Amino acid sequence: MEQLSGQDASFVYLDTPNTPMHIGSVGIYDPSTAPGGFVRFKDILAHVESRLDKARSFRQKLVRVPFDLDHPYWIDDPNFDLEYHVRHIALPHPGDWRQLCIQVARLHARGMDLSKPLWEFNIVEGLDNIEGLPKGCFALVAKVHHAAIDGMSGVELSAAVHDIEPVPVDRSAKPKWKGENEPAVTEMLMRTWMNSVTQPVRFAKTLAQTVPGAARLIREVAGGDVSLKGAKMAPQTILNGKVSPHRVWDSTVLPLAGIRSIKDRIEGATVNDVILTIIGGGLRKYLQQRKALPKDSLTAMAPISVRAEGEKEALGNLVSAMLVQLGTHIEDPMERLAFVRKEALNSKAMTNAVGARTLTEYSQFIPSGLAGLGARLYSRLGVSNLHSPVFNVVATNVPGPRVPLYFAGAKMVRMMGTGPIFDGMGMINAIYSYGPDIAISFTSDREMIPDPANYAAALNEAYEELLGATPKAAPKAETAVKPEAKAAPAKKAVVKPVKAKTATKKQTVKKTLAKAAKPVAKPKAKTKK
C-alpha cells in the first residue's frame, strides 16, 4: 500500500467527464516479422500476461480516503482481469489514416474507470490503406492515467511489453501473485491523522530548501544571467477556454536527420528548440488561417523530468515544468528559432536557479478535499473563460529508442503519443522519437480544432520552411563581410587625412605669427583692466 504524491493526486482530482486525465501512445506494428508471419489476439493476450510483473502499474488500483481527507493510495487489485484491459477492434474498409485518427480520438475521449487498474490496451486492426505502412498492420492504442505515470516512467511501461528481437523473450509471470484486501476505513483515517501531524515538519523542510534557490534566482536576475523581461501571462486564443468532452487527434512524422541539420545552423540550438519552433510555426500558420493569431507570442509549457536514475520504476509523476515563448509573432523561421533558443535558455536557467525538484514537492501540501472541489467548480463555472492563460499549449518530449522494438514478434514501424487537455489549455503536442524519425502528435478539443488535418499540414509546412531556410543563412555571412565592403570608402578617407596634414602645416605658420603678436596684445588687455 503506497500513497500518491500531491502531484499524482492532482490528476485524480482534475479527472472529470470532460477532462479525463490519461496519457498514452499509438504504436503501429507490422506482424510479418512475427513467428509464422502473423499475430493473433490470443497471442497478444498471452504476451501481455507474461509481462505483468515487469511494471507495477499493471495490477495496482486506487483506493480513495473517505471524503478525500487525504491523498489516495495504491493497492494490488484482488479482482484484476486482463481481458478488461486488453481490447480488440478493427477499422472499417478501407482502413485509411483519417479513420485511424478518428478512432484514436474516440478512444482517448473516453474516461477510465478509477476503481480498476488505470490502463487500457486497444488493439486496432485493419490498417490496410495508410501511406508508408505495409498492409496488414495493426495499432496498439495505449491509455494510462496520468496519476500512475509520467512520460519517462511510461517509457519503462513500454519497455515491459517490448523486445529488441522478433522472437519474444520468455518472461513468465510470477505464478504466486495475489492482490491485497482494501484497507479498512479506520486504518485510512488513522494514516490521515498521522500525515496531518507530520505535514508541518515536511513543509518546513521544503521551505528551507526553497530559500537558497530563491536567493540564487535573485542573484542571477541581478547579474543578468536570468531575465524576467518576458515574464507575463500568455495571450488569449481559441485554444484557451472551457473544453468539451470531444477530442481530435492527428500526427506528423519528420526525419530526425532533418531536425538535426536545422539545429546546427544556430550555435547551441537543440533538437527541442527546433521542435518548439516547428510547433510555433504550425500554430502561427493555422491561427492565421482561422484569422485568430494574437499579436503576442503564444507560450508552451514543457514538462521537465526530475526522475533520478534509481526512480525509473517508481509509480507516478516526478516532473517540473518550464514556460517557453514559441515566437508565433515572428514570420521568419530562422529568426523564430533564434528567439525560441534564447527563451528556452532563459527559462531553463530560471528553473535551475530555484530547483525543479523543489517546486514539485510543494504539490504534496495541496489540501486534498479542497483540490477536488476546486477542480470541479473551476470546470462547472467556466472560470477558464474569465482570465488570461498562464500558457497556451503543452509540448512534451518523450525520447524513444534508436533500435527497432517488437511487440509479440511484430515490428514497431511508428510511435506516436496522446495526452490530456483541460479547461484553459485545449491542445497538447506529444513529441515521440523512434529510430530515424520523430513524430509530433497532438490532442485537442473538437470544438476548438474542428479541422485537425489542417494543423497537421501546418506543422509540415513549418518544418519545410525551416529546412529550406538555408539560403537565409547567407545574409548572416554577408553581414560579416560588410565591414570589408565599407573598407573601400575607408581607403578614400585615408587620403583625406594626408591633405588635412598639408593644410595643418599652413595653419601652423599662421598660428606661429599669431603667437608672436599675442604677447603684445595681452599686456594691452591687462593695462585696460
Side-chain angles (χ1 to χ4, degrees):
M1 185 166 163
E2 179 183 346
Q3 189 172 29
L4 277 70
S5 69
Q7 190 175 40
D8 297 340
S10 66
F11 292 110
V12 178
Y13 306 140
L14 288 170
D15 196 298
T16 70
N18 281 20
T19 59
M21 299 304 295
H22 49 257
I23 62 177
S25 61
V26 182
I28 299 180
Y29 300 85
D30 178 9
S32 66
T33 60
F38 61 90
V39 177
R40 298 167 297 183
F41 182 63
K42 70 176 186 178
D43 297 330
I44 291 175
L45 282 174
H47 177 78
V48 175
E49 186 175 18
S50 70
R51 310 301 176 92
L52 291 176
D53 61 311
K54 301 303 177 184
R56 296 172 60 193
S57 55
F58 275 138
R59 289 186 287 205
Q60 291 199 316
K61 73 169 189 174
L62 285 175
V63 176
R64 298 182 78 156
V65 176
F67 309 109
D68 280 339
L69 293 175
D70 201 356
H71 300 320
Y73 290 84
W74 294 112
I75 67 167
D76 290 333
D77 184 9
N79 301 310
F80 177 76
D81 178 14
L82 177 64
E83 293 194 35
Y84 173 84
H85 296 275
V86 184
R87 305 167 183 184
H88 187 199
I89 56 178
L91 294 181
H93 183 77
D96 58 24
W97 176 253
R98 179 177 173 277
Q99 289 174 306
L100 177 62
C101 290
I102 292 172
Q103 188 62 62
V104 171
R106 285 174 179 167
L107 292 170
H108 189 74
R110 191 182 306 152
M112 305 185 77
D113 186 344
L114 298 183
S115 68
K116 298 183 182 296
L118 299 179
W119 65 277
E120 293 176 10
F121 283 176
N122 294 275
I123 306 300
V124 184
E125 287 190 304
L127 282 61
D128 295 326
N129 195 30
I130 298 179
E131 185 179 353
L133 296 180
K135 286 191 176 183
C137 286
F138 67 89
L140 169 59
V141 182
K143 294 165 56 176
V144 186
H145 201 281
H146 216 328
I149 64 170
D150 58 28
M152 293 307 295
S153 59
V155 172
E156 296 300 311
L157 187 68
S158 177
V161 296
H162 288 97
D163 299 293
I164 58 174
E165 298 291 341
V167 179
V169 178
D170 184 16
R171 296 180 181 174
S172 300
K174 294 178 181 178
K176 294 183 180 180
W177 180 88
K178 63 178 182 178
E180 300 176 68
N181 294 325
E182 292 197 14
V185 172
T186 52
E187 179 187 353
M188 299 186 76
L189 292 177
M190 181 60 71
R191 287 173 176 265
T192 300
W193 180 79
M194 291 295 295
N195 286 338
S196 66
V197 171
T198 58
Q199 186 163 347
V201 177
R202 287 183 281 120
F203 182 79
K205 182 180 178 182
T206 303
L207 187 62
Q209 293 172 347
T210 306
V211 172
R216 187 163 53 249
L217 177 62
I218 293 171
R219 286 197 306 270
E220 293 191 5
V221 170
D225 296 323
V226 175
S227 173
L228 300 179
K229 187 178 180 181
K232 58 182 179 180
M233 298 295 281
Q236 189 71 39
T237 72
I238 59 175
L239 300 171
N240 307 112
K242 184 177 172 61
V243 299
S244 76
H246 311 297
R247 299 290 178 266
V248 292
W249 180 86
D250 208 330
S251 180
T252 183
V253 180
L254 306 172
L256 188 55
I259 302 291
R260 285 176 171 161
S261 70
I262 294 169
K263 83 172 180 63
D264 291 340
R265 297 172 200 168
I266 291 187
E267 185 179 356
T270 66
V271 168
N272 284 349
D273 297 334
V274 177
I275 293 296
L276 290 174
T277 305
I278 291 171
I279 292 172
L283 286 168
R284 174 183 170 85
K285 290 177 180 297
Y286 179 77
L287 293 176
Q288 277 182 330
Q289 293 171 9
R290 298 277 300 272
K291 297 182 179 178
L293 179 66
K295 293 181 180 179
D296 294 332
S297 171
L298 271 68
T299 299
M301 188 273 278
I304 304 171
S305 176
V306 294
R307 189 174 295 271
E309 187 64 27
E311 298 172 321
K312 287 185 177 180
E313 296 181 1
L315 286 173
N317 295 263
L318 289 169
V319 294
S320 183
M322 68 177 190
L323 301 180
V324 182
Q325 292 190 47
L326 297 174
T328 52
H329 61 302
I330 300 173
E331 182 177 2
D332 183 82
M334 293 307 294
E335 287 182 18
R336 191 185 312 120
L337 176 56
F339 175 85
V340 169
R341 173 60 181 161
K342 180 181 176 183
E343 289 295 312
L345 280 174
N346 187 68
S347 184
K348 285 177 185 176
M350 189 181 301
T351 303
N352 291 336
V354 178
R357 182 102 186 202
T358 302
L359 293 174
T360 65
E361 290 176 357
Y362 275 103
S363 62
Q364 185 64 30
F365 309 109
I366 301 172
S368 51
L370 290 178
L373 177 62
R376 291 189 291 272
L377 286 176
Y378 185 86
S379 178
R380 289 175 186 174
L381 299 177
V383 177
S384 59
N385 295 324
L386 305 178
H387 64 85
S388 297
V390 178
F391 51 88
N392 303 105
V393 298
V394 171
T396 176
N397 191 352
V398 181
R402 295 286 173 265
V403 298
L405 295 181
Y406 298 86
F407 175 73
K411 182 181 179 180
M412 180 192 290
V413 293
R414 194 172 294 180
M415 185 65 165
M416 298 157 288
T418 62
I421 61 173
F422 46 86
D423 291 337
M425 196 290 296
M427 175 183 284
I428 179 169
N429 297 269
I431 301 103
Y432 269 73
S433 58
Y434 172 62
D437 299 322
I438 189 163
I440 305 177
S441 312
F442 63 92
T443 307
S444 188
D445 182 356
R446 194 198 301 163
E447 307 299 324
M448 296 176 178
I449 307 289
D451 48 356
N454 287 351
Y455 176 57
L459 289 171
N460 257 316
E461 290 175 20
Y463 165 74
E464 293 294 342
E465 278 190 357
L466 272 170
L467 194 64
T470 308
K472 293 189 177 181
K476 291 187 177 181
E478 288 175 11
T479 305
V481 177
K482 276 183 181 179
E484 295 180 5
K486 289 180 180 179
K491 286 179 182 178
K492 292 180 181 178
V494 172
V495 179
K496 287 181 181 178
V498 175
K499 292 180 180 178
K501 284 179 184 178
T502 307
T504 305
K505 288 179 181 178
K506 293 180 180 179
Q507 289 173 2
T508 304
V509 175
K510 290 180 180 180
K511 285 179 182 178
T512 306
L513 295 174
K515 283 179 182 178
K518 277 180 185 177
V520 180
K522 283 181 182 178
K524 285 183 180 179
K526 287 179 182 178
T527 306
K528 286 180 181 180
K529 287 179 182 178

